Amino acid sequence: RSYEAVSETSSFSTSAEGKVIAIPDIAQFSFSVITQGGVSLQDTQSENTNKANAAISFVKSKGIDTKDIATQGYSVEPRYQYYNCDREDTVCPPYEIVGYTITQSVLVKVRDFANIGDLLSGVVQNGANTVSQLNFTVEDPLMLQNQAREKAITIARAKAKSIAKAGGFRLGKL
Protein backbone atom coordinates (compact mmCIF):
# COMPACT_ATOMS: atom_id res chain seq x y z
CA ARG A 1 0.00 0.00 0.00
CA SER A 2 1.22 3.52 -0.70
CA TYR A 3 0.87 6.54 1.54
CA GLU A 4 1.53 10.05 0.28
CA ALA A 5 2.47 13.19 2.13
CA VAL A 6 2.20 16.53 0.36
CA SER A 7 3.77 19.93 1.05
CA GLU A 8 3.21 23.12 -0.88
CA THR A 9 5.74 22.16 -3.54
CA SER A 10 6.69 18.51 -3.01
CA SER A 11 5.24 15.11 -2.48
CA PHE A 12 6.53 11.69 -1.63
CA SER A 13 5.10 8.23 -1.19
CA THR A 14 5.86 5.26 0.97
CA SER A 15 4.87 1.66 0.68
CA ALA A 16 4.80 -1.31 3.02
CA GLU A 17 3.94 -4.96 3.10
CA GLY A 18 1.77 -6.64 5.69
CA LYS A 19 1.99 -10.35 6.37
CA VAL A 20 -0.18 -12.70 8.37
CA ILE A 21 0.39 -16.33 9.15
CA ALA A 22 -2.53 -18.74 9.21
CA ILE A 23 -2.95 -22.36 10.14
CA PRO A 24 -4.92 -24.30 7.52
CA ASP A 25 -8.47 -25.06 8.59
CA ILE A 26 -9.55 -27.30 5.70
CA ALA A 27 -7.99 -30.02 3.61
CA GLN A 28 -9.15 -30.80 0.09
CA PHE A 29 -8.62 -33.80 -2.10
CA SER A 30 -10.20 -35.19 -5.21
CA PHE A 31 -10.98 -38.72 -6.22
CA SER A 32 -11.96 -40.14 -9.57
CA VAL A 33 -13.89 -43.13 -10.79
CA ILE A 34 -12.60 -44.28 -14.17
CA THR A 35 -14.70 -46.91 -15.92
CA GLN A 36 -13.84 -48.58 -19.20
CA GLY A 37 -16.73 -50.29 -20.88
CA GLY A 38 -17.95 -51.65 -24.15
CA VAL A 39 -20.01 -49.98 -26.84
CA SER A 40 -23.05 -49.66 -24.59
CA LEU A 41 -22.51 -46.18 -23.20
CA GLN A 42 -25.53 -46.53 -20.93
CA ASP A 43 -24.09 -49.60 -19.20
CA THR A 44 -20.72 -47.88 -18.70
CA GLN A 45 -22.42 -44.76 -17.31
CA SER A 46 -24.49 -46.85 -14.94
CA GLU A 47 -21.43 -48.71 -13.65
CA ASN A 48 -19.49 -45.46 -13.20
CA THR A 49 -22.37 -43.74 -11.41
CA ASN A 50 -22.85 -46.68 -9.04
CA LYS A 51 -19.15 -46.69 -8.09
CA ALA A 52 -19.05 -42.89 -7.67
CA ASN A 53 -22.20 -42.94 -5.54
CA ALA A 54 -20.71 -45.67 -3.33
CA ALA A 55 -17.57 -43.59 -2.76
CA ILE A 56 -19.65 -40.46 -2.06
CA SER A 57 -21.86 -42.40 0.38
CA PHE A 58 -18.74 -43.55 2.19
CA VAL A 59 -17.49 -39.95 2.44
CA LYS A 60 -20.85 -38.83 3.86
CA SER A 61 -20.78 -41.71 6.36
CA LYS A 62 -17.53 -40.24 7.70
CA GLY A 63 -19.30 -37.01 8.61
CA ILE A 64 -18.53 -34.93 5.52
CA ASP A 65 -21.38 -32.51 4.81
CA THR A 66 -23.03 -32.58 1.39
CA LYS A 67 -21.97 -28.95 0.78
CA ASP A 68 -18.33 -30.09 1.05
CA ILE A 69 -18.66 -32.66 -1.76
CA ALA A 70 -18.76 -31.45 -5.35
CA THR A 71 -18.46 -33.07 -8.76
CA GLN A 72 -15.36 -31.57 -10.30
CA GLY A 73 -15.52 -33.14 -13.73
CA TYR A 74 -17.26 -35.71 -15.88
CA SER A 75 -15.97 -36.92 -19.22
CA VAL A 76 -16.91 -39.56 -21.77
CA GLU A 77 -14.21 -40.57 -24.24
CA PRO A 78 -14.53 -43.15 -27.00
CA ARG A 79 -11.97 -45.92 -27.38
CA TYR A 80 -11.10 -46.85 -30.95
CA GLN A 81 -9.92 -49.98 -32.70
CA TYR A 82 -7.21 -49.14 -35.22
CA TYR A 83 -6.07 -51.55 -37.90
CA ASN A 84 -2.52 -52.07 -38.99
CA CYS A 85 -2.47 -52.04 -42.79
CA ASP A 86 1.16 -52.21 -43.86
CA ARG A 87 0.67 -53.48 -47.40
CA GLU A 88 -0.08 -50.99 -50.13
CA ASP A 89 -2.51 -53.30 -51.96
CA THR A 90 -4.62 -53.82 -48.81
CA VAL A 91 -7.68 -51.71 -48.20
CA CYS A 92 -7.55 -50.67 -44.57
CA PRO A 93 -10.93 -50.59 -42.81
CA PRO A 94 -11.83 -47.39 -40.99
CA TYR A 95 -11.25 -47.30 -37.26
CA GLU A 96 -14.26 -48.00 -35.13
CA ILE A 97 -15.46 -47.26 -31.61
CA VAL A 98 -15.09 -50.36 -29.46
CA GLY A 99 -16.04 -48.84 -26.13
CA TYR A 100 -16.07 -45.81 -23.88
CA THR A 101 -14.08 -44.59 -20.92
CA ILE A 102 -15.93 -42.48 -18.37
CA THR A 103 -14.13 -40.43 -15.75
CA GLN A 104 -16.00 -38.74 -12.92
CA SER A 105 -14.01 -36.60 -10.46
CA VAL A 106 -15.22 -35.39 -7.07
CA LEU A 107 -13.72 -32.72 -4.80
CA VAL A 108 -14.01 -33.25 -1.03
CA LYS A 109 -13.38 -30.67 1.70
CA VAL A 110 -12.34 -32.09 5.06
CA ARG A 111 -12.65 -30.04 8.24
CA ASP A 112 -11.55 -32.72 10.71
CA PHE A 113 -7.97 -33.58 9.78
CA ALA A 114 -8.07 -36.77 11.88
CA ASN A 115 -10.33 -38.31 9.19
CA ILE A 116 -8.05 -37.70 6.20
CA GLY A 117 -6.30 -41.08 6.16
CA ASP A 118 -9.55 -43.03 6.48
CA LEU A 119 -11.16 -40.96 3.75
CA LEU A 120 -8.28 -41.37 1.29
CA SER A 121 -8.13 -45.14 1.62
CA GLY A 122 -11.88 -45.56 2.05
CA VAL A 123 -12.89 -43.91 -1.22
CA VAL A 124 -10.62 -46.35 -3.07
CA GLN A 125 -12.14 -49.30 -1.22
CA ASN A 126 -15.58 -47.98 -2.18
CA GLY A 127 -15.17 -47.50 -5.94
CA ALA A 128 -12.64 -44.73 -6.68
CA ASN A 129 -9.66 -45.60 -8.89
CA THR A 130 -7.53 -42.54 -8.13
CA VAL A 131 -7.03 -40.08 -5.30
CA SER A 132 -5.07 -36.89 -5.87
CA GLN A 133 -4.45 -33.25 -5.08
CA LEU A 134 -4.46 -33.42 -1.29
CA ASN A 135 -3.79 -29.90 -0.06
CA PHE A 136 -4.32 -27.88 3.07
CA THR A 137 -5.72 -24.38 2.87
CA VAL A 138 -7.71 -21.67 4.59
CA GLU A 139 -11.40 -21.51 3.89
CA ASP A 140 -11.69 -17.72 4.17
CA PRO A 141 -8.56 -16.15 2.64
CA LEU A 142 -10.29 -12.76 2.29
CA MET A 143 -10.28 -12.26 6.07
CA LEU A 144 -6.52 -12.91 6.13
CA GLN A 145 -5.93 -10.60 3.14
CA ASN A 146 -7.80 -7.83 4.96
CA GLN A 147 -5.64 -8.32 8.06
CA ALA A 148 -2.50 -8.10 5.91
CA ARG A 149 -3.78 -4.90 4.24
CA GLU A 150 -4.45 -3.31 7.63
CA LYS A 151 -0.90 -4.11 8.75
CA ALA A 152 0.54 -2.72 5.50
CA ILE A 153 -1.41 0.53 5.84
CA THR A 154 -0.35 0.96 9.47
CA ILE A 155 3.32 0.46 8.56
CA ALA A 156 3.11 2.78 5.50
CA ARG A 157 1.38 5.47 7.57
CA ALA A 158 4.10 5.28 10.26
CA LYS A 159 6.82 5.59 7.59
CA ALA A 160 5.07 8.58 6.02
CA LYS A 161 4.71 10.34 9.40
CA SER A 162 8.40 9.86 10.12
CA ILE A 163 9.46 11.13 6.71
CA ALA A 164 7.06 14.08 6.84
CA LYS A 165 8.31 15.07 10.30
CA ALA A 166 11.96 14.86 9.22
CA GLY A 167 11.30 16.82 6.02
CA GLY A 168 8.98 19.40 7.52
CA PHE A 169 6.06 18.25 5.37
CA ARG A 170 2.40 18.10 6.16
CA LEU A 171 0.95 14.62 5.87
CA GLY A 172 -1.72 14.18 3.19
CA LYS A 173 -4.46 11.63 2.78
CA LEU A 174 -3.95 7.98 2.00
Side-chain angles (χ1 to χ4, degrees), residues 76-80 97-101:
V76 177
E77 297 178 25
R79 289 192 340 272
Y80 296 97
I97 294 175
V98 293
Y100 294 93
T101 301

Side-chain angles (χ1 to χ4, degrees), residues 30-161:
S30 64
F31 68 84
S32 297
V33 176
I34 303 167
T35 307
Q36 288 191 345
V39 293
S40 171
L41 181 57
Q42 186 175 4
D43 290 346
T44 307
Q45 285 175 318
S46 180
E47 180 182 347
N48 184 275
T49 298
N50 290 339
K51 288 179 179 179
N53 287 343
I56 290 169
S57 291
F58 168 78
V59 168
K60 288 179 180 178
S61 77
K62 290 296 185 181
I64 305 297
D65 196 343
T66 302
K67 69 178 176 59
D68 290 332
I69 304 167
T71 299
Q72 204 172 24
Y74 186 90
S75 67
V76 177
E77 297 178 25
R79 289 192 340 272
Y80 296 97
Q81 171 68 50
Y82 296 96
Y83 298 97
N84 188 5
C85 300
D86 291 335
R87 294 180 32 197
E88 288 181 26
D89 62 342
T90 304
V91 176
C92 193
Y95 56 86
E96 62 182 293
I97 294 175
V98 293
Y100 294 93
T101 301
I102 296 176
T103 304
Q104 185 173 174
S105 300
V106 177
L107 178 69
V108 179
K109 285 184 184 179
V110 182
R111 297 170 193 285
D112 181 1
F113 292 176
N115 286 336
I116 293 172
D118 288 341
L119 287 164
L120 295 176
S121 61
V123 293
V124 172
Q125 292 168 354
N126 286 278
N129 310 81
T130 63
V131 177
S132 61
Q133 300 173 348
L134 174 63
N135 63 65
F136 297 87
T137 189
V138 176
E139 185 164 30
D140 186 8
L142 184 59
M143 178 186 70
L144 297 170
Q145 291 167 352
N146 288 338
Q147 289 175 1
R149 285 184 190 104
E150 288 174 16
K151 283 185 176 185
I153 289 170
T154 300
I155 293 167
R157 181 176 285 135
K159 281 184 183 178
K161 282 181 182 179

